[in-house]
Each structure stands twice: as C-alpha cells, then as structure tokens.
Amino acid sequence: MILYHGSQKIISKPQFGQGKVYNDYGQGFYCTEDQELAKEWACPTADDGFSNCYELETDGLSFLNLMDTSFCTLHWLSILVNNRKFDLNTPIMRQGVFYLSENFLPSLTGIDVIKGWRADDSYFSFAKAFLSNQISYNQLQNAMKFGNLGEQIVIKSKQAFDAISYKGYELAEGKKYFPLRTSRMEKAKSDYRESLDKADISGLFIRDFILKEIKHDDPRLR
C-alpha cells in the first residue's frame, strides 16, 4: 500500500509512540492514499510543505476499515468522541457519548491500521451538532460528504510502524495548496449551513437513539 503524509517537515522514519493522543483515532501516524490531499494537509499556512511517501507492507497486519458497509457513521463517531478532547456541556451530549460508547464503539484490540473518515474541525463541528440533538443522523451522514474532505489511514501498532519504508517526498507549494485546503473546508461549512435549512423532522436524533435503544444492526442506519 502506497501512503502519503502531509507535513511541514520531511519525515523519513515515523516513530511509534509519538504524535498527539487526542487525534481522531488516538495516537498514531496519519496518512492518506491521495497524494494531492496530503499536499493540502502539508500546507496549513501559505508556507511550503512536504508530501512524504511510504510503502506499507500489509501482510500480517490487522485492519479496521470503517468505510466498510458493515460499519455505519456512528461507529466512526464513537471512536472520535472517545479520542477527541471537547466539552460535554449538556446532559444530552453526555448521555449521547455514553450511549455511543456502549453500543457502537468497535474494539481496537489487536488492530494495526485504521481506515476511516478524516475529522478536521469542520467535521468535528458536525459531530458535536449531532450529539447536542441539533441535527439528525441523516443530516450527519450527508455532512460527511460535504467538501470531500477525504479518508485517512492511521498506523497504530509497533508492527505496522516496522512495516513502513520511506520512498521520498514531493514539495507542496503553499501558494497553491493552502488556498485549495481553505476552499475545501469553506465548501464543507457552506454546504452544511445550507443543509440546516432543510429540517429533517422525521429523522433519528441522538435522543431517539437513547430513548428507543437503537442499536448498530438497525436497518435505518445503512
């Protein structure tokens, strides 16, 4: 598997046990299969960055693919809320996080690599809106497609880190990729605001999940 990591540094040897604990899927090395997307990630400002390229030998590695049809958006969200640090400032949010953790949180035991949605600040605001009962499950699902923010692959285990080999890098020009990154995020926010004008009165909200004890095998979640 060929992977790319966007950074403002050249990273020839990713180190196991480093990185932020409060990232989407916890501590790990975050990559993508899309080189152009990696170049956007490398340019959070107008300064130039680097798209580092790696080859991952997948034989013997255990994958959790949250994009598989056996999972729904709430499996992704349950992992997110258990890793991201944010204020649970209402009772419904606290109950919602507890309910998702009890009923939708996949086991990460023995998992070497995770593939799933990328959750930048735009995506995370959608997730918080769902947890605070402001948007429905269908609205959350639709929001996941806004801006085409992309998927990410996270190297989690020591075994997976040992299976990475460095293949070099390409320069990511800030003057090109920073505007692309900004416009992508702005489109996601704009599409989201537009979607709120279409009320989903009959949809499933987090309160419904809790009161009706809706589980991961409910056909309405697919």
Side-chain angles (χ1 to χ4, degrees):
M1 178 181 285
I2 301 299
L3 301 176
Y4 303 94
H5 175 82
S7 175
Q8 295 192 295
K9 299 179 181 179
I10 296 172
I11 304 175
S12 59
K13 187 170 179 57
Q15 298 294 317
F16 175 70
Q18 295 188 6
K20 297 177 182 178
V21 175
Y22 298 115
N23 275 334
D24 301 346
Y25 303 103
Q27 195 172 56
F29 189 60
Y30 286 70
C31 301
T32 175
E33 294 178 277
D34 186 335
Q35 187 178 31
E36 289 298 295
L37 190 58
K39 288 182 178 180
E40 289 184 28
W41 296 358
C43 299
T45 68
D47 294 327
D48 293 344
F50 302 94
S51 172
N52 296 278
C53 179
Y54 309 89
E55 184 174 0
L56 175 67
E57 176 54 62
T58 59
D59 286 351
L61 298 183
S62 175
F63 279 71
L64 175 65
N65 183 5
L66 294 168
M67 316 307 296
D68 187 85
T69 55
S70 60
F71 295 102
C72 70
T73 305
L74 296 186
H75 290 103
W76 165 83
L77 181 57
S78 64
I79 295 178
L80 189 70
V81 298
N82 274 274
N83 284 309
R84 282 275 196 133
K85 193 173 184 179
F86 66 105
D87 291 331
L88 298 174
N89 48 23
T90 65
I92 190 67
M93 290 184 77
R94 291 190 288 272
Q95 291 177 52
V97 168
F98 178 79
Y99 188 82
L100 292 180
S101 300
E102 289 292 303
N103 294 284
F104 289 90
L105 184 63
S107 173
L108 301 184
T109 302
I111 297 297
D112 300 305
V113 182
I114 299 175
K115 181 177 183 178
W117 292 108
R118 172 174 167 245
D120 74 346
D121 290 342
S122 298
Y123 271 48
F124 198 52
S125 67
F126 307 155
K128 288 190 288 186
F130 173 73
L131 286 172
S132 59
N133 216 53
Q134 296 177 44
I135 63 173
S136 70
Y137 175 72
N138 282 337
Q139 288 174 309
L140 175 65
Q141 279 193 306
N142 289 333
M144 299 305 299
K145 304 169 187 174
F146 295 155
N148 192 26
L149 291 176
E151 303 167 7
Q152 57 189 358
I153 293 175
V154 188
I155 309 302
K156 293 287 292 181
S157 69
K158 179 66 165 58
Q159 182 179 357
F161 272 82
D162 290 341
I164 294 175
S165 57
Y166 187 58
K167 297 300 178 183
Y169 69 87
E170 285 191 11
L171 182 70
E173 297 180 60
K175 64 182 181 181
K176 174 181 178 181
Y177 287 99
F178 174 63
L180 288 176
R181 174 182 175 135
T182 302
S183 63
R184 187 188 294 267
M185 290 190 290
E186 288 304 317
K187 177 170 172 49
K189 294 175 183 177
S190 174
D191 289 346
Y192 174 67
R193 288 191 294 267
E194 184 177 333
S195 75
L196 295 182
D197 293 334
K198 305 170 185 177
D200 187 16
I201 298 174
S202 60
L204 295 172
F205 289 75
I206 189 64
R207 186 172 182 272
D208 299 311
F209 281 87
I210 297 169
L211 294 178
K212 299 176 182 178
E213 297 187 353
I214 298 172
K215 308 294 185 181
H216 64 87
D217 55 355
D218 192 294
R220 291 173 291 180
L221 304 185
R222 304 302 173 184

